[in-house]
Amino acid sequence: MADQKDSLRAYRSKRDPRRTPEPSGERRRPRRGRRGHPIFVIQKHDASSLHYDFRLEADGVLKSWAVPKGPSTNPKDKRLAVPTEDHPLEYADFEGVIPEGEYGAGTVLVWDTGTYRNLTERDGKEVPVEQAIEEGHLRFELHGSKLRGPYALTRIGGPGRQRWLLVKMAGEGADPNRDPVGSEPNSVLSGRGLEEIAAEAAGQGASR
Ligand code: MN
């Protein structure tokens, strides 16, 4: 199995730490949420097209998927989730602007974060998250500010075709009448919206 440093090679190769405010991915910082539970984060990313980067802590990194429409609380919705490169754990707090011309250029905010619990089981035994991802199916319970309760991520079309679906499962947090992506657009860390973060970054750039 690749160690976590190897698993961040793709992340580092896409970024020049002198040109982007994002974490370099050089440091290995153990990072766990309250009570030792692994963390999740969903970053709203206004890149060439707006999407939501869904990340789960596993194996010392943030396993990542880009979800164009963002997560839903309606169990009838199936949200496309396209795997992206592993991100370093310290990325979980990142909000700011990736400069024009750089990989992923655009504004990022932390749309939701918290801890999660792995629910993936086979024959009554827990399947570790890393293994569940390799096998193409995982279930987990989110303990976030906006999102709570069970969700599933399932690969469709086999390992060669990298498309997954993110689906809300029945139970806690299931609500077809809620639309948190639309009704709660701002950062859970700072309360700021995309425009505010972009304007502040532009102001800092100008005053330097
Ligand atoms: Mn992104």
Side-chain angles (χ1 to χ4, degrees):
M1 186 181 285
D3 74 16
Q4 67 190 60
K5 203 147 195 195
D6 279 335
S7 81
L8 292 176
R9 191 176 292 151
Y11 174 90
R12 287 193 301 270
S13 73
K14 292 169 191 279
R15 293 169 177 81
D16 181 343
R18 292 164 301 182
R19 294 178 187 274
T20 175
E22 296 165 288
S24 67
E26 294 295 339
R27 279 183 306 159
R28 293 197 198 196
R29 197 204 304 165
R31 188 204 155 100
R32 298 227 141 194
R34 274 181 304 157
R35 302 191 303 273
H37 294 297
I39 62 157
F40 83 95
V41 62
I42 301 170
Q43 280 157 317
K44 186 177 179 180
H45 185 184
D46 189 14
S48 49
S49 59
L50 181 72
H51 60 271
Y52 293 75
D53 288 302
F54 186 87
R55 312 190 198 279
L56 295 173
E57 176 181 1
D59 238 356
V61 295
L62 295 170
K63 300 288 178 185
S64 300
W65 292 259
V67 182
K69 289 186 175 174
S72 175
T73 55
N74 185 348
K76 290 190 172 151
D77 288 339
K78 295 179 170 63
R79 294 290 162 89
L80 177 67
V82 180
T84 58
E85 75 276 17
D86 293 348
H87 277 50
L89 290 176
E90 58 261 39
Y91 206 91
D93 296 331
F94 175 71
E95 290 193 335
V97 175
I98 302 166
E100 202 71 42
E102 300 306 313
Y103 177 74
T107 307
V108 176
L109 65 72
V110 176
W111 184 78
D112 198 14
T113 190
T115 59
Y116 78 93
R117 190 163 68 88
N118 181 19
L119 300 176
T120 319
E121 284 185 354
R122 190 186 302 116
D123 304 327
K125 279 174 60 182
E126 179 175 333
V127 179
V129 173
E130 303 78 32
Q131 185 187 336
I133 291 173
E134 268 174 41
E135 294 175 356
H137 180 69
L138 63 154
R139 278 165 287 152
F140 46 87
E141 182 178 84
L142 297 180
H143 304 266
S145 301
K146 294 171 182 169
L147 300 185
R148 302 191 64 81
Y151 279 80
L153 265 167
T154 307
R155 190 167 57 214
I156 51 173
R161 297 177 55 203
Q162 288 290 293
R163 292 156 66 84
W164 294 57
L165 295 176
L166 174 66
V167 180
K168 179 78 185 91
M169 291 163 65
E172 189 190 359
D175 183 352
N177 298 316
R178 238 186 110 205
D179 173 28
V181 162
S183 62
E184 300 169 63
N186 290 351
S187 165
V188 284
L189 295 186
S190 65
R192 297 179 299 174
L194 287 170
E195 294 77 15
E196 218 175 331
I197 289 172
E200 281 177 29
Q204 283 163 14
S207 66
R208 236 181 244 142

